Amino acid sequence: MGSPCDASILSSVKIPTIKFTKLFINGEFVDSISGKTFETIDPRTGDVIARIAEGDKEDIDLAVKAARGAFDHGSWPRLPGSERARIMMKFADLIDQNVEELAALDTIDAGKLFSMGKAVDIPQVAATLRYYAGAADKIHGDVLKMSREFHAYTLREPIGVVGHIIPWNYPSTMLLMKISPALAAGCTMVVKPAEQTPLSALYYAHLAKLAGIPNGVLNVVTGFGPTAGAAVSTHMDIDAVSFTGSPEVGRKVMKAAAESNLKVVSLELGGKSPLIIFDDADVDVAAQLALTGIVYNKGEICVASSRVYVQEGIYDEVVKKLVEKAKAWVVGDPFDPEVQQGPQVDKKQFERILSYIEHGKREGATLLTGGKPLGRKGYYIEPTIFTDFKEEMLIAKDEIFGPVMALAKFKTIEEAIARANNSRYGLAAGIVTKDLNVANTVSRSIRAGTIWINCYFAFDNDCPVGGYKISGFGSDLGLEGLYKYLHVKSVVTPIYNTPWL
């Protein structure tokens, strides 16, 4: 399983100097009004990395005032889309130039693999910026065919000041997934990063200023959900809020939006995603997809395939392969290029995952492999697989957000569909089969926002992601992710003596 926090690895890695620890408001790094700070912790060791300015309602007020001024009177919404695109492209270039430092910040703050950050996460956020930069000068409405003597057309106009509340599992990816389309649309914004992972958001704010994004357009207020996050949701001068996190907090965001100014709300609230493996699947490929689907990013991913259903004909073979692969999976220091899984984000999440493992044992599921913490320090957990679970068990109902798989056998396609849909979540699902008819039937029957057939985690900037049921509503990525930051306005004028309508 690897050796967490090997001293030789830690000593060989150049940890970046923490350059930005203050709030970013109206183009400047400033202390919080209260002067309070909070600790951000390295999950590899449990040690303090830095103290970060703790923003509160008063700081959110200042940030919103800056964003409102930049929207109502500033240049950003009024620039040609091509000019916004040029600045966004420069922002992306600056991200590319600082890829190693940004990846290292997410590693020490969130426990993410440094090698994956450098090769995938950070280059991908630059690509997301470029994708939406390419859309910035292609925002247009339609000319309408009226039934009476009127000429009419629609405009797509920026929604205004947006509040983004960012989760901790993908600090860079989720930040750029939200701010990129909002910037392309011409919006201004206030970002509240997760208190567990504030470091990279502040660095991106610095790069945005260097790129030429005007003061007040992008503001970053670090702080806690019940204070700074709540202030975003309730603020009367924020026009829309985009939140990714838990259903419990999502309900609070929605209630706050309703009780304030009825701001537009977009929610992505996690999942309990099923992966269905049929008898005709390649056993090795299926087992690898299933394991990667739950241990990738240490299971801290909203679309993790935490419920795996295997048809009875290959069930025993898949189980054997899964156990082999899980035991060979290397858990350890995320700066080590040989390591495949780093530590959970913090002590609270670490203890939460371990408590769910204990629930699984008590409720009668069979612990096939894993289930224990690793190492003397830091927040490492073995890849864990349960079998013989029932849908009413907590390990099958709740989003654990850790490397814990619930594995079960099924007989028929109808049983697989019924069990896959027996969840209050509906974010994603996977299907492994060589039968196109089975793939078509199952993909249309599962109530989830994204279905992957013979693949998993197949994200792309042009492919929208969003949820059904309590997984939320509103999409990120693709043009759908842009349109949620745009209002549609209809403009109608009479036409007289026209030869045709």
Side-chain angles (χ1 to χ4, degrees):
M1 291 284 186
S3 52
C5 287
D6 185 276
S8 63
I9 296 165
L10 285 173
S11 61
S12 68
V13 173
K14 189 177 185 301
I15 305 299
T17 302
I18 307 304
K19 298 172 182 173
F20 307 107
T21 60
K22 298 183 178 184
L23 314 179
F24 187 77
I25 297 175
N26 206 24
E28 302 293 337
F29 284 101
V30 296
D31 290 318
S32 61
I33 290 173
S34 69
K36 290 193 292 185
T37 60
F38 65 96
E39 296 174 345
T40 190
I41 304 296
D42 185 340
R44 301 173 305 150
T45 60
D47 296 338
V48 176
I49 305 167
R51 295 197 69 88
I52 308 296
E54 183 183 335
D56 209 329
K57 180 181 182 301
E58 292 77 14
D59 304 287
I60 294 290
D61 286 342
L62 280 181
V64 174
K65 183 179 180 182
R68 175 54 62 193
F71 185 79
D72 289 348
H73 309 294
S75 61
W76 189 252
R78 295 159 187 84
L79 287 175
S82 57
E83 183 61 15
R84 286 201 299 274
R86 185 190 65 78
I87 296 169
M88 291 173 68
M89 291 287 193
K90 187 174 180 183
F91 188 6
D93 291 343
L94 289 169
I95 291 171
D96 284 340
Q97 291 164 27
N98 291 274
V99 64
E100 190 147 331
E101 190 163 358
L102 288 163
L105 289 175
D106 281 350
T107 298
I108 61 171
D109 221 11
K112 297 177 71 66
L113 296 181
F114 181 60
S115 58
M116 289 296 292
K118 282 202 304 180
V120 179
D121 287 4
I122 310 306
Q124 183 57 44
V125 303
T128 299
L129 255 179
R130 292 187 177 103
Y131 173 85
Y132 284 109
D137 62 352
K138 300 168 187 69
I139 296 169
H140 54 76
D142 297 308
V143 175
L144 308 176
K145 186 68 173 176
M146 303 290 275
S147 61
R148 294 182 293 149
E149 292 184 335
F150 293 99
H151 173 63
Y153 58 93
T154 57
L155 298 170
R156 290 188 183 270
E157 299 183 339
I159 205 163
V161 176
V162 180
H164 298 294
I165 304 175
I166 311 295
W168 46 256
N169 61 321
Y170 275 84
S172 291
T173 303
M174 296 305 303
L175 176 72
L176 273 297
M177 193 185 289
K178 291 182 183 298
I179 71 170
S180 299
L183 287 170
C187 296
T188 62
M189 61 213 71
V190 176
V191 174
K192 208 294 284 182
E195 56 267 28
Q196 296 89 342
T197 54
L199 294 177
S200 57
L202 295 170
Y203 202 106
Y204 286 111
H206 162 68
L207 297 181
K209 176 156 186 169
L210 291 182
I213 291 178
N215 293 347
V217 171
L218 174 63
N219 305 273
V220 179
V221 178
T222 49
F224 294 91
T227 50
V232 169
S233 303
T234 59
H235 207 288
M236 295 296 292
D237 224 7
I238 289 180
D239 300 299
V241 62
S242 175
F243 170 79
T244 297
S246 69
E248 294 74 24
V249 178
R251 287 187 176 97
K252 292 178 181 178
V253 170
M254 200 167 174
K255 183 179 179 183
E259 291 179 346
S260 54
N261 60 342
L262 279 172
K263 58 180 64 64
V264 174
V265 177
S266 172
L267 302 173
E268 193 267 85
L269 304 177
K272 194 70 183 173
S273 300
L275 176 65
I276 305 171
I277 300 170
F278 287 90
D279 278 342
D280 63 346
D282 180 290
V283 169
D284 193 63
V285 170
Q288 190 60 55
L289 278 176
L291 184 70
T292 305
I294 191 60
V295 296
Y296 185 74
N297 201 52
K298 53 279 185 7
E300 292 173 351
I301 182 165
C302 51
V303 294
S305 58
S306 50
R307 295 183 294 144
V308 177
Y309 299 98
V310 184
Q311 201 160 17
E312 58 186 2
I314 60 168
Y315 178 80
D316 291 339
E317 291 177 83
V318 171
V319 167
K320 184 181 175 185
K321 280 281 185 187
L322 269 172
V323 173
E324 287 174 9
K325 290 175 182 293
K327 288 182 175 178
W329 195 255
V330 183
V331 182
D333 188 274
F335 279 107
D336 182 347
E338 301 301 315
V339 162
Q340 296 167 291
Q341 179 184 320
Q344 309 307 138
V345 72
D346 63 6
K347 186 178 181 181
K348 181 180 178 183
Q349 183 63 14
F350 172 76
E351 291 175 346
R352 182 176 184 271
I353 295 164
L354 292 175
S355 75
Y356 272 106
I357 292 171
E358 291 307 309
H359 275 299
K361 294 176 187 175
R362 282 200 302 272
E363 290 183 323
T366 302
L367 181 61
L368 200 62
T369 187
K372 297 189 295 294
L374 283 168
R376 296 183 303 277
K377 61 194 304 191
Y379 309 125
Y380 300 86
I381 296 177
E382 293 177 328
T384 300
I385 302 174
F386 282 100
T387 58
D388 307 316
F389 77 89
K390 295 180 174 60
E391 266 71 22
E392 62 268 20
M393 292 179 180
L394 286 179
I395 60 167
K397 290 197 304 184
D398 291 358
E399 183 180 42
I400 298 172
F401 228 57
V404 182
M405 178 194 297
L407 178 65
K409 184 190 301 185
F410 74 91
K411 289 185 178 182
T412 66
I413 186 172
E414 292 79 14
E415 179 192 353
I417 291 167
R419 294 188 75 175
N421 281 331
N422 188 10
S423 172
R424 63 188 187 274
Y425 290 100
L427 190 58
I431 303 163
V432 189
T433 181
K434 295 172 184 171
D435 188 323
L436 183 60
N437 291 327
V438 168
N440 283 336
T441 298
V442 178
S443 62
R444 284 160 171 75
S445 300
I446 293 178
R447 301 283 294 165
T450 301
I451 310 292
W452 288 302
I453 300 171
N454 296 327
C455 59
Y456 212 80
F457 299 137
F459 293 106
D460 189 87
N461 285 322
D462 202 42
C463 185
V465 293
Y468 285 32
K469 300 188 274 189
I470 72 160
S471 289
F473 49 83
S475 295
D476 288 311
L477 296 177
L479 292 179
E480 297 294 329
L482 173 67
Y483 294 152
K484 73 180 182 182
Y485 299 112
L486 294 161
H487 272 309
V488 175
K489 176 186 284 183
S490 295
V491 181
V492 183
T493 181
I495 49 175
Y496 302 103
N497 304 316
T498 179
W500 52 73
L501 290 179

